[in-house]
Amino acid sequence: MAKTADTCVVFMLGYPGMGKRTVGSHVADLVDGVLVDNQLINRPLLELFRWDGKESIPTAIWDRVIPIREAVFGTIEDLAPASNSYVFTNVLEDDPDGLAHFERVQSHAARRGSVFLSVMLTCDIDVQVSRIDNPDRIALRKGSDPEGYRQHRLVTDLYQPPSGDVITIDTTHIDARTNAELIVGELIQRGSRPSPSTNHAGPPSARPRPPHTPPSPPQQCDLHGWKAARTG
């Protein structure tokens, strides 16, 4: 039987446009946790350029992101309440940096005594590209070049977590809330104690939806561009 824990750390992974931030926000809501989207770290600097997600920006900016990322992780580890659960998002390429970042988040969960789960999101490439160029992404200073992201997916290999630490979720047709509930169900199986919000929510099949509930909006990407894997 899995050891139980009051907190969890979830690491949402996948190419841009998969819905990491959107699904992750629902997971954070269900576990009463904090969403640490990678754009939380990148955006302060991207705002200085009023970046539209397409124009080139100086590559040296990513060196300036490092202290922000370190401050965020340091604050979580040293100052933030130990009772918090966290949901992180990122694109990790299949290289030493990607491995190092994954292991950092995983070891952070172990030090906290939290249940750890990484979630690899995937979806149809045409659906992914259709999510890229929209006003919400530009407002959040995310990459908004559809064909650039198509090429990125075709030529970029992502880091693949160990099989025992990851589940795969397809966001092509399943709405964000349902996918989040699947993730929380996996967390509970791995020993995470349900939060009050999870208990009230119940399983998807047990919760009738209002008859006129509008469909969920398209899931949004949670990162800005090719350098995301190296910026936290």
Side-chain angles (χ1 to χ4, degrees):
M1 182 177 178
K3 181 180 178 181
T4 58
D6 291 323
T7 60
C8 60
V9 172
V10 181
F11 202 179
M12 310 291 294
L13 302 170
Y15 291 103
M18 297 295 168
K20 297 183 292 297
R21 181 178 182 275
T22 306
V23 178
S25 67
H26 285 284
V27 174
D29 178 56
L30 288 170
V31 303
D32 192 24
V34 179
L35 177 67
V36 186
D37 177 43
N38 193 54
Q39 203 66 357
L40 174 73
I41 297 169
N42 301 328
R43 188 174 175 182
L45 298 186
L46 297 174
E47 285 286 353
L48 301 176
F49 294 82
R50 295 182 178 178
W51 192 47
D52 65 357
K54 297 177 181 177
E55 294 297 323
S56 298
I57 52 178
T59 57
I61 192 175
W62 307 122
D63 293 331
R64 309 294 178 93
V65 167
I66 294 173
I68 301 175
R69 183 182 66 227
E70 294 302 315
V72 169
F73 271 90
T75 300
I76 291 173
E77 293 174 351
D78 300 335
L79 301 175
S83 57
N84 283 355
S85 292
Y86 291 95
V87 180
F88 295 90
T89 75
N90 214 329
V91 177
L92 300 185
E93 294 184 9
D94 188 16
D95 58 21
D97 287 344
L99 172 62
H101 191 66
F102 178 85
E103 290 181 340
R104 180 173 189 180
V105 175
Q106 186 179 42
S107 64
H108 167 72
R111 289 192 299 273
R112 291 168 50 86
S114 301
V115 171
F116 174 76
L117 177 66
S118 58
V119 181
M120 183 65 71
L121 272 61
T122 186
C123 77
D124 176 82
I125 190 169
D126 290 325
V127 174
Q128 173 201 4
V129 171
S130 73
R131 298 170 178 169
I132 296 297
D133 190 12
N134 67 69
D136 289 342
R137 290 185 56 82
I138 297 173
L140 292 171
R141 305 304 180 193
K142 297 171 181 252
S144 57
D145 178 6
E147 290 309 310
Y149 277 95
R150 183 189 295 274
Q151 289 304 310
H152 174 251
R153 178 169 176 176
L154 293 175
V155 303
T156 305
D157 292 327
L158 298 187
Y159 171 75
Q160 300 297 318
S163 58
D165 295 322
V166 65
I167 62 171
T168 299
I169 295 290
D170 193 311
T171 66
T172 305
H173 301 296
I174 301 175
D175 67 273
R177 189 71 174 191
T178 300
N179 270 327
E181 290 164 348
L182 293 172
I183 293 167
V184 172
E186 180 68 22
L187 287 167
I188 292 171
Q189 290 185 22
R190 291 172 181 250
S192 179
R193 293 190 182 94
S195 71
S197 59
T198 305
N199 289 332
H200 292 323
S205 60
R207 273 201 329 279
R209 292 182 179 272
H212 301 297
T213 299
S216 300
Q219 298 174 19
Q220 303 300 318
C221 156
D222 45 2
L223 291 175
H224 65 277
W226 328 146
K227 293 293 184 179
R230 291 176 171 79
T231 61

